[in-house]
Amino acid sequence: MGEEVDTAFVQAPEHRPKSSVIVAEGIPLIDLSPINYQNEDTLLDSSIENLVKEIGSACKKWGFFQVINHKVPLDKRERIEEAAKKFFALGLEEKLKVRRDAVNVLGYFEAEHTKNVRDWKEIYDFNVQEPTFIPPSDEPDDEENVQFQWDNRWPQNPPEFKEACQEYAQEVEKLAYKLMELVALSLGLVPNRFRGYFTHNTSNIRLNHYPACPYPHLALGLGRHKDTGVLTVLAQDDTGGLEVRRKSDGEWIRVKPIFNSFIINVGDMIQVWSNDAYESVEHRVMVNSEKDRFSIPFFLKPALYTDVKPLEELLDDRNPPIYRPVNWGKFRSARMRSNFAKSKVENLQIYDFKFPSN
Ligand code: OGA
Ligand code: NI
């Protein structure tokens, strides 16, 4: 993958995998059989009550859990997985036709094309809502302001690609909203408490291809990070490689692939809304020396204009707000800029929004 590969592999120490990984004692596995997509709001019968407790405790203890019996049709998932494989198998020239750039960050991207090679993978991004709503700027000179175009770049090949992506997106989005109802209930909120933040959502889906890597001890598929959005619904294949930082002791825990399951994790915005009751947890992806790996995360994200702040209902004298409002659009673009390798912008983190504690 290009001439710079050798130096690219020599990564910062914290980016290198540690050899000892605990495989036992995984993240909680939650059975979603009781959920019902017919009801607008989740009914509070006793089966839901248990489920809500499980979700709450998984969010608190791990920030991560795995779900089965989620009702996302398997054929829709298989269809996008197949389309992703076919797309990534195309020649580079073909894929570069839908390459992302600094103005429109949607489309294809291969780490090789940046100076700062970090991750052993190639990706394709698309937004779920089309067209994605971008509010007119009322501060046109504010350089932090959101100024980008947002149109999906659909490739011509494979021909079924766009439809497969859109159909899967619809299904997984429904699951994400259902999970947000359960998260709301677990915090003692009304089930539809979060719904309004997603009217003009900026949710996206990423197709990840982690090629088999000849130097698995030197590289990571994806370096340690936290997800910045609200909630992530991840489909991983049976190769495995995702690792989660266990909150209790900081150990990296491998997430075992389970057929037709999704891995759910709390993003930075839930951390702020919940005033740290639920935290966004670090995770990373190991490479595999023999097998390619494919994964498809759906990132649930609010409207750009959303000011995310600890929810009033959760606050009192003993639990005062610990964050100042985070404007999602600004937070997001600051994070994007720091991801574009040339930029010297510090990697903005959610703790930068904490009130100073005395
Ligand atoms: C991500 C992520 C995990 C995976 O894209 O943010 O954590 O298994 N992906 O690809
Ligand atoms: Ni992630």
Side-chain angles (χ1 to χ4, degrees):
M1 289 176 99
E3 314 147 32
E4 287 183 277
V5 153
D6 286 344
T7 47
F9 271 119
V10 183
Q11 296 172 347
E14 83 283 355
H15 204 68
R16 266 178 234 147
K18 269 204 300 184
S19 53
S20 66
V21 168
I22 299 174
V23 181
E25 265 294 315
I27 59 172
L29 179 63
I30 297 182
D31 182 350
L32 291 182
S33 306
I35 61 170
N36 180 350
Y37 288 125
Q38 261 63 62
N39 302 321
E40 257 303 298
D41 289 341
T42 303
L43 286 177
L44 260 179
D45 64 25
S46 57
S47 54
I48 290 287
E49 218 172 282
N50 258 337
L51 179 55
V52 167
K53 277 198 197 121
E54 282 182 71
I55 301 257
S57 113
C59 288
K60 226 182 186 49
K61 197 165 159 212
W62 286 88
F64 261 89
F65 51 97
Q66 213 158 174
V67 297
I68 48 172
N69 297 323
H70 43 70
K71 301 178 173 68
V72 172
L74 182 57
D75 61 326
K76 296 270 162 65
R77 173 171 174 167
E78 287 172 341
R79 198 156 174 240
I80 191 175
E81 284 173 346
E82 280 311 307
K85 279 184 193 162
K86 283 190 198 161
F87 172 74
F88 287 125
L90 297 171
L92 185 59
E93 200 179 319
E94 181 83 11
K95 292 185 278 192
L96 291 178
K97 289 183 185 159
V98 291
R99 190 186 170 194
R100 84 178 187 192
D101 56 43
V103 181
N104 179 356
V105 297
L106 298 172
Y108 174 75
F109 177 69
E110 195 188 40
E112 186 187 355
H113 295 277
T114 64
K115 284 281 166 269
N116 173 11
V117 178
R118 283 167 47 112
D119 302 325
W120 189 253
K121 68 166 180 173
E122 53 182 344
I123 63 178
Y124 174 88
D125 280 314
F126 69 96
N127 274 352
V128 170
Q129 200 167 63
E130 275 189 294
T132 303
F133 179 80
I134 304 179
S137 167
D138 47 7
E139 303 164 83
D141 298 326
D142 178 353
E143 63 134 341
E144 298 231 314
N145 220 332
V146 192
Q147 288 169 359
F148 45 85
Q149 286 171 25
W150 244 355
D151 298 308
N152 287 329
R153 292 188 161 108
W154 298 112
Q156 305 247 287
N157 281 307
E160 71 279 15
F161 186 90
K162 177 176 174 183
E163 199 183 86
C165 287
Q166 289 174 328
E167 287 188 357
Y168 176 75
Q170 268 189 12
E171 298 293 336
V172 80
E173 184 180 35
K174 269 195 269 177
L175 172 61
Y177 292 141
K178 192 49 75 177
L179 288 164
M180 287 308 288
E181 289 179 10
L182 297 166
V183 167
L185 287 166
S186 77
L187 289 165
L189 304 164
V190 293
N192 65 0
R193 180 63 176 86
F194 296 106
R195 201 62 179 83
Y197 298 117
F198 303 108
T199 307
H200 297 125
N201 71 76
T202 52
S203 303
N204 71 294
I205 286 184
R206 169 165 288 184
L207 310 180
N208 283 312
H209 173 213
Y210 302 92
C213 173
Y215 316 102
H217 54 299
L218 288 177
L220 279 177
L222 174 57
R224 55 194 272 185
H225 68 283
K226 297 177 179 183
D227 291 354
T228 52
V230 174
L231 190 86
T232 305
V233 180
L234 172 79
Q236 73 164 338
D237 69 7
D238 59 5
T239 307
L242 176 66
E243 291 179 4
V244 173
R245 192 122 193 233
R246 185 160 61 193
K247 281 177 80 175
S248 56
D249 58 7
E251 288 291 341
W252 289 102
I253 306 295
R254 181 68 57 102
V255 179
K256 196 174 119 237
I258 297 176
F259 177 71
N260 197 17
S261 70
F262 289 103
I263 296 153
I264 314 297
N265 64 292
V266 164
D268 288 341
M269 297 305 114
I270 289 191
Q271 179 169 332
V272 174
W273 274 326
S274 74
N275 209 32
D276 269 3
Y278 299 163
E279 284 167 311
S280 176
V281 164
E282 271 188 333
H283 50 287
R284 65 182 186 184
V285 177
M286 313 303 276
V287 284
N288 190 294
S289 60
E290 275 135 44
K291 269 176 90 180
D292 287 25
R293 175 174 185 269
F294 296 86
S295 73
I296 308 181
F298 166 95
F299 299 105
L300 180 69
K301 293 170 178 176
L304 283 178
Y305 51 74
T306 313
D307 281 325
V308 179
K309 50 184 189 250
L311 297 172
E312 296 284 342
E313 303 96 302
L314 304 176
L315 305 174
D316 58 29
D317 291 346
R318 279 168 307 158
N319 186 22
I322 56 179
Y323 292 96
R324 56 196 166 85
V326 181
N327 179 271
W328 167 247
K330 289 187 180 183
F331 184 66
R332 189 194 160 286
S333 49
R335 285 295 297 251
M336 290 293 309
R337 275 205 305 279
S338 61
N339 283 346
F340 270 87
K342 287 149 280 182
S343 165
K344 287 270 188 298
V345 184
E346 279 289 305
N347 204 343
L348 186 70
Q349 295 288 339
I350 205 65
Y351 53 68
D352 296 322
F353 289 85
K354 279 201 171 176
F355 288 122
S357 57
N358 38 30

